[in-house]
Amino acid sequence: MYQNQKYIFLFFLITFISLTTFAQSYSISGKVINAKTGEPLAFVNIIANNSTKGSSTDIDGKFTLKHTEAIVSIKLSYVGFETKVVTIENNKSNLIIRLQEKQLQLSEVKIIAGENPAHRIIRNVLANRDLNNPEKQHSFSYTSYNKLIFTSKTDIIAVKSKTIKDSTTIKMKSFFDKQHLLMMESVTKRKFLQPDKNYEEVLASRVSGFKNPIFAFIGSQLQSFSFYNERFNIFEKYYINPISNGCTGKYFYQIEDTLYNTQTDTTFIISYRPKVNTNFEGLKGLLYINTFHWAIENATAEPAIEQEKGINIKIQQKYELMEGKQWFPVQLNTDLSFTMDNLPYPLVANARTYLKEISLSPDIPKKTFRNIELDIKDSASFQPEIYWNLHRIDSLTQKELKTYYVIDSLGEKYNFEKKLNIIQALMNNKIPWGIVNIDIDKFICFNEYEKVRLGLGLHTSDKLSRAFSIGGYWGYGFGDKAHKYGGDVSVFLYKPWDFKLNIAYTNDLQESGGLSFYKEKKSFFEGSYNEFFANYFDKTEKISTSFSFRTFRYMQVNIALNKIFKASAFNYEYASFQQNAILLTDQFKYTDLQLSLRYAYKEKYMKIHDNLIPLTTNYPIVWVNYTKGLKGVLEGEYEYQKVDIKIEKSFYTNYIGKTSLIATAGYLDKDVPYNIMYAARAGYNDAYMDVPFTFNTMRYNEFLSNRYASLMFKHSFGSLLFRKKKFNPEVVILSNALVGSMNNINSHRNILFKTPDKGFFESGICINNLLKSGFSSFGIGAYYRYGTYHLNNEMDNWAFKWTMTIPL
């Protein structure tokens, strides 16, 4: 009897536990989409059985809702969409729920009396910003899976195919119904340590049609990792964050909904957008603020003004509470749409980044971090399918699998890999041809002295050897009817330090009084067009031996011994005094030892194979040249010391724009010929072309000095002053100054020049983006010179220019 009672009691106990468990596990699941476009809707508020508690969709529109009672109905609400109540039968799962967009968009609410209640919430978010910002914590690490798909909207193509009965449109719809245009995946491992040490490895990379992993980082770099910084980066453009300092004066906020999660925390859903009559790089979207630490739980953002033509972008971020103490991103979505005249159908890109294996405050050795911020492993392109299946969130769809199959087949048939290598080479001014690269910049050039110059340059490529390079060039100028040529040999002694030995010979023209720095990158306009208008050259024969390497993490060094012969090509003569006589000469022999440095503090690099590609630095970049003239060595005729320095810095200021500064200075301790002195960088030309970072009202060869200092200031307001959907002119103001002196003006004969000892000054304004054509835009500019070197004819002080930019 006792034994039976025990079993009966045990039966009822198990039954009670089962029923209790069952009662606590009522759940439904599904996905919420836009009824018009079919796109998933993230962060839709869902409440069960008309209660105050519920859940929300994730960043892909999916949801799982649990309740202590059987779920008979759910209520869905989302900003900009009609609220919907759905009846649930038998706890049905895998629901597809479609929400209709509201016909009328929200208008700004003006609060007549009292404070906007959303401001209190935003102030709490600002007060806890550093606490909740993952990149303000001591350290973290995570693994991410990234997927980026380029495709087209088949619904729009379907509409066109009904109205335009051409075979191309029908084929396009059929193509995009079955597959995407391009697809790429990557797996990365990121480690972070305060204050700003960052290292990310690309462990796996796959791109349809390609094996080159150069695209591996794109999907995870389209937006800022954290939503807590002063400015938010979307597609390489910075916007003022709606939770930045002073944001309540620029943004309008409105509480749209409230979700009660537990007895202790609540989620406020707040919409935001720039206030009326404000003009700045602003965003619009939704913030889901959780009262636990007043942290962002979810966020959506897109530029406040949508572009009718160009690239539009929308981002979403989802955060989760880790270890009960730190909110951390778990998914980042980026959606781009491309609308351009030369695209027959709208192209879209969808990027998804999923974070997992998140570790807070791990012990990461400092030696993990170097100046390499993104390291693409050589094995990234060769990971097996089992590796991908371990990291993918969901299995690939049939459409995605077919994309890989078809595009990979097309890649092999049409040799996409080779074409990509050609494009990469072209970007580096090279055309690959077997085991050599053809130097594009040697094909043709123009200047006032040679008029037109044609030529050819070749260098061996990595296909022959990655340990050395041999090359040469030849050219012929039709203006001076003279041949130019040269050759060089480079041996790469130790790749990790970029340790290289180079021996070179050139017999060519060189701009007289010009100045260059080691690893100095100039834009096409700043470099090529400035040389185009130059007219003072020296016929130069040069033999040099140099060693270059990287040291102290951020410093690049070049040490060179040069033997140089120069002959003036513009009737210049240098007067030297020897034994009570004046000796005039137009030919000069120099031997010099030169130390060149480039220092970019905390500059980061991307490493692919053995190549380092510079990314960026937020600090000034400094160049220094020290040149020692060696008289009596290798026939050198002049002894002197020359020091040159250049400092370059750009920074962005909220609500004001981007400022760029370039400061240069030089010092020569002796009286020497014109060709190694300092001719100021003039930009005045008869083509009315704007040449960046030059003195635009200064005539070529107008000023000369052997010691000088200059400062160039440029500030772009971007679209802050004028902003419309179809018209976004960029206003730029500029101001330049130069001061210099010379030891002995009488040493330089048959040439007219001034010394800027009293200071040369000019200012100007440019209005860019007035006219757009494809990816280029054009504008106008005007500059004015003033001060001591103001010219007698008033109009000669003005320079009117046309500008060209290539904006995104």
Side-chain angles (χ1 to χ4, degrees):
M1 180 67 179
Y2 174 79
Q3 193 74 10
N4 290 337
Q5 287 178 335
K6 184 172 74 172
Y7 284 126
I8 292 171
F9 174 78
L10 183 60
F11 171 79
F12 277 107
L13 179 61
I14 294 172
T15 302
F16 174 78
I17 294 172
S18 300
L19 289 172
T20 303
T21 303
F22 181 76
Q24 294 175 344
S25 60
Y26 288 108
S27 67
I28 62 170
S29 62
K31 187 174 184 179
V32 183
I33 63 174
N34 185 320
K36 182 179 179 180
T37 65
E39 296 176 350
L41 296 176
F43 319 137
V44 176
N45 190 5
I46 304 175
I47 296 176
N49 299 339
N50 203 28
S51 66
T52 58
K53 296 180 180 180
S55 182
S56 62
T57 59
D58 67 12
I59 208 163
D60 291 319
K62 299 176 182 178
F63 70 90
T64 298
L65 184 61
K66 296 181 179 181
H67 206 272
T68 56
E69 301 175 358
I71 301 174
V72 296
S73 68
I74 57 174
K75 181 180 179 181
L76 300 95
S77 59
Y78 190 59
V79 177
F81 287 76
E82 300 288 350
T83 299
K84 186 172 186 177
V85 177
V86 179
T87 301
I88 306 299
E89 297 180 358
N90 302 322
N91 291 324
K92 191 175 180 180
S93 295
N94 299 322
L95 298 166
I96 300 295
I97 302 174
R98 295 172 173 81
L99 295 187
Q100 297 285 346
E101 291 187 56
K102 288 182 178 179
Q103 295 299 316
L104 297 176
Q105 296 298 316
L106 291 168
S107 58
E108 182 169 328
V109 176
K110 295 182 180 179
I111 300 174
I112 305 300
E115 183 188 27
N116 183 343
H119 284 189
R120 180 182 66 86
I121 300 171
I122 296 299
R123 282 199 300 271
N124 285 333
V125 175
L126 290 170
N128 290 272
R129 192 167 56 168
D130 286 350
L131 174 67
N132 293 315
N133 188 350
E135 292 180 330
K136 293 292 184 180
Q137 310 312 308
H138 175 262
S139 62
F140 62 76
S141 66
Y142 63 79
T143 301
S144 73
Y145 166 73
N146 312 282
K147 181 163 65 174
L148 175 60
I149 294 173
F150 287 88
T151 188
S152 187
K153 294 183 178 180
T154 54
D155 57 330
I156 296 178
I157 298 179
V159 172
K160 286 193 173 186
S161 65
K162 292 178 181 178
T163 57
I164 306 174
K165 302 290 186 178
D166 67 284
S167 59
T168 302
T169 304
I170 295 171
K171 287 179 180 179
M172 287 288 290
K173 182 181 183 306
S174 176
F175 177 89
F176 285 111
D177 278 339
K178 297 176 182 178
Q179 66 190 67
H180 303 296
L181 181 64
L182 182 69
M183 178 176 170
M184 58 185 73
E185 299 175 280
S186 66
V187 177
T188 70
K189 177 74 174 181
R190 183 187 177 194
K191 298 175 182 178
F192 176 86
L193 180 66
Q194 275 289 2
D196 56 1
K197 298 183 184 300
N198 189 61
Y199 177 62
E200 188 167 6
E201 298 174 277
V202 177
L203 305 175
S205 171
R206 187 177 182 185
V207 182
S208 56
F210 299 92
K211 292 185 176 63
N212 193 322
I214 188 67
F215 299 116
F217 66 98
I218 295 178
S220 61
Q221 304 294 316
L222 293 175
Q223 60 167 292
S224 294
F225 166 74
S226 170
F227 207 88
Y228 287 97
N229 298 323
E230 279 288 304
R231 292 181 296 278
F232 195 81
N233 182 7
I234 302 179
F235 203 52
E236 293 302 315
K237 187 172 182 178
Y238 286 93
Y239 296 87
I240 303 300
N241 198 321
I243 54 167
S244 60
N245 291 324
C247 58
T248 55
K250 294 290 184 179
Y251 278 99
F252 168 74
Y253 303 89
Q254 182 170 310
I255 300 176
E256 302 292 347
D257 210 341
T258 305
L259 180 62
Y260 301 95
N261 305 313
T262 66
Q263 294 181 349
T264 57
D265 68 282
T266 301
T267 299
F268 292 104
I269 303 173
I270 299 175
S271 65
Y272 65 90
R273 64 183 180 188
K275 286 184 175 181
V276 173
N277 298 324
T278 59
N279 193 9
F280 63 98
E281 298 291 357
L283 299 167
K284 63 181 179 180
L286 297 173
L287 297 172
Y288 290 64
I289 308 301
N290 193 293
T291 54
F292 183 77
H293 289 172
W294 296 98
I296 294 174
E297 191 174 340
N298 304 307
T300 69
E302 61 185 295
I305 297 180
E306 183 178 350
Q307 300 295 315
E308 289 190 358
K309 299 290 183 182
I311 302 173
N312 286 297
I313 188 165
K314 181 177 181 180
I315 67 100
Q316 299 167 324
Q317 292 194 352
K318 179 178 176 60
Y319 292 72
E320 287 184 2
L321 188 63
M322 300 292 165
E323 302 176 7
K325 61 180 182 180
Q326 178 67 51
W327 292 91
F328 203 91
V330 294
Q331 188 174 348
L332 311 175
N333 282 7
T334 307
D335 297 303
L336 298 95
S337 62
F338 304 83
T339 307
M340 299 174 186
D341 293 331
N342 53 350
L343 288 177
Y345 304 102
L347 189 66
V348 297
N350 308 117
R352 301 291 180 263
T353 295
Y354 302 89
L355 278 60
K356 59 182 182 178
E357 300 174 8
I358 297 169
S359 177
L360 302 179
S361 301
D363 186 16
I364 306 175
K366 288 186 177 181
K367 64 181 181 181
T368 303
F369 305 96
R370 299 172 291 163
N371 58 341
I372 298 174
E373 187 167 272
L374 187 62
D375 190 354
I376 303 177
K377 297 299 183 183
D378 290 340
S379 59
S381 299
F382 304 99
Q383 295 290 4
E385 193 65 21
I386 189 172
Y387 182 91
W388 286 107
N389 291 333
L390 289 173
H391 291 278
R392 286 175 179 141
I393 305 303
D394 293 315
S395 300
L396 296 181
T397 65
Q398 287 300 314
K399 194 172 183 179
E400 292 169 342
L401 288 170
K402 187 164 185 180
T403 301
Y404 273 135
Y405 175 77
V406 173
I407 305 300
D408 284 350
S409 300
L410 291 173
E412 291 182 7
K413 181 179 179 180
Y414 295 104
N415 208 338
F416 286 176
E417 199 73 24
K418 182 178 180 179
K419 290 178 172 62
L420 175 63
N421 291 335
I422 291 175
I423 293 172
Q424 284 183 261
L426 289 172
M427 294 176 66
N428 292 314
N429 282 324
K430 298 175 182 177
I431 299 176
W433 184 41
I435 61 172
V436 300
N437 290 323
I438 302 173
D439 301 322
I440 296 175
D441 58 351
K442 301 299 182 184
F443 280 157
I444 187 169
C445 67
F446 306 89
N447 58 63
E448 289 290 324
Y449 184 76
E450 292 178 289
K451 305 304 181 185
V452 179
R453 170 171 165 175
L454 299 179
L456 178 67
L458 300 173
H459 278 84
T460 60
S461 68
D462 290 347
K463 288 185 178 180
L464 178 64
S465 175
R466 301 178 76 173
F468 66 86
S469 171
I470 302 173
Y473 73 92
W474 166 88
Y476 180 79
F478 289 88
D480 61 346
K481 296 180 172 54
H483 298 271
K484 292 88 181 176
Y485 47 89
D488 65 277
V489 178
S490 295
V491 180
F492 304 98
L493 302 174
Y494 188 55
K495 283 276 189 177
W497 288 3
D498 287 343
F499 195 7
K500 181 176 71 173
L501 167 65
N502 177 266
I503 300 173
Y505 170 83
T506 59
N507 192 324
D508 207 333
L509 289 176
Q510 190 172 36
E511 183 182 359
S512 196
L515 178 65
S516 63
F517 291 90
Y518 181 62
K519 297 286 185 179
E520 178 187 27
K521 288 189 175 181
K522 298 179 181 178
S523 68
F524 176 75
F525 293 101
E526 188 181 356
S528 299
Y529 280 177
N530 185 68
E531 294 173 3
F532 175 81
F533 295 111
N535 54 14
Y536 280 10
F537 288 92
D538 295 309
K539 299 173 183 178
T540 304
E541 185 178 14
K542 179 178 178 180
I543 302 173
S544 68
T545 301
S546 64
F547 289 92
S548 60
F549 55 92
R550 188 185 306 275
T551 186
F552 299 116
R553 184 174 294 186
Y554 306 115
M555 183 178 289
Q556 294 169 285
V557 181
N558 187 70
I559 303 172
L561 178 64
N562 304 303
K563 183 179 185 297
I564 307 168
F565 171 79
K566 288 180 177 286
S568 175
F570 56 98
N571 199 35
Y572 166 79
E573 290 183 319
Y574 177 70
S576 59
F577 299 90
Q578 298 182 7
Q579 299 179 350
N580 298 322
I582 298 177
L583 178 64
L584 298 177
T585 181
D586 61 357
Q587 297 184 355
F588 315 95
K589 294 180 181 179
Y590 303 97
T591 300
D592 65 50
L593 182 65
Q594 186 175 66
L595 171 66
S596 300
L597 308 175
R598 179 185 181 273
Y599 186 74
Y601 182 59
K602 295 196 174 180
E603 183 175 49
K604 305 301 182 183
Y605 289 84
M606 176 176 71
K607 180 175 179 290
I608 177 169
H609 302 310
D610 290 330
N611 300 316
L612 294 180
I613 302 172
L615 296 176
T616 184
T617 178
N618 294 323
Y619 296 87
I621 300 176
V622 180
W623 290 266
V624 177
N625 290 343
Y626 172 74
T627 308
K628 172 66 175 175
L630 304 174
K631 186 176 181 179
V633 178
L634 299 176
E635 301 181 338
E637 298 174 336
Y638 300 93
E639 183 177 358
Y640 60 90
Q641 294 186 83
K642 186 178 183 182
V643 180
D644 306 303
I645 185 169
K646 175 181 176 180
I647 303 174
E648 185 175 301
K649 169 65 177 172
S650 294
F651 57 91
Y652 188 91
T653 306
N654 286 358
Y655 312 112
I656 296 177
K658 182 180 179 180
T659 303
S660 299
L661 295 168
I662 295 182
T664 56
Y667 175 81
L668 255 168
D669 67 339
K670 298 287 180 63
D671 180 26
V672 292
Y674 184 107
N675 40 45
I676 60 172
M677 297 183 72
Y678 302 109
R681 290 183 60 82
Y684 187 91
N685 58 80
D686 294 333
Y688 304 103
M689 186 179 300
D690 183 72
V691 183
F693 296 109
T694 61
F695 294 95
N696 281 277
T697 62
M698 183 186 296
R699 277 59 175 173
Y700 278 83
N701 314 301
E702 184 179 356
F703 290 93
L704 184 69
S705 54
N706 68 344
R707 56 180 69 89
Y708 81 101
S710 71
L711 178 64
M712 294 186 170
F713 166 86
K714 176 182 176 181
H715 181 83
S716 171
F717 291 97
S719 301
L720 295 175
L721 301 182
F722 305 97
R723 185 193 305 271
K724 300 292 181 182
K725 276 191 175 183
K726 295 183 179 180
F727 187 58
N728 292 298
E730 175 196 23
V731 178
V732 181
I733 57 174
L734 308 98
S735 228
N736 303 321
L738 168 71
V739 63
S741 63
M742 182 180 293
N743 287 345
N744 192 349
I745 295 177
N746 296 324
S747 297
H748 309 282
R749 304 296 175 90
N750 305 327
I751 183 174
L752 296 176
F753 62 87
K754 307 169 190 173
T755 56
D757 51 297
K758 296 180 180 178
F760 176 91
F761 304 97
E762 68 174 16
S763 295
I765 183 170
C766 293
I767 304 177
N768 300 328
N769 300 342
L770 292 176
L771 177 65
K772 292 185 179 181
S773 175
F775 287 98
S776 302
S777 64
F778 300 90
I780 57 174
Y783 299 85
Y784 183 74
R785 65 191 280 173
Y786 49 91
T788 303
Y789 301 103
H790 181 276
L791 301 176
N792 293 330
N793 185 345
E794 183 62 30
M795 288 306 299
D796 289 341
N797 296 294
W798 288 92
F800 300 98
K801 304 292 188 79
W802 62 270
T803 69
M804 179 179 176
T805 55
I806 306 178
L808 285 176

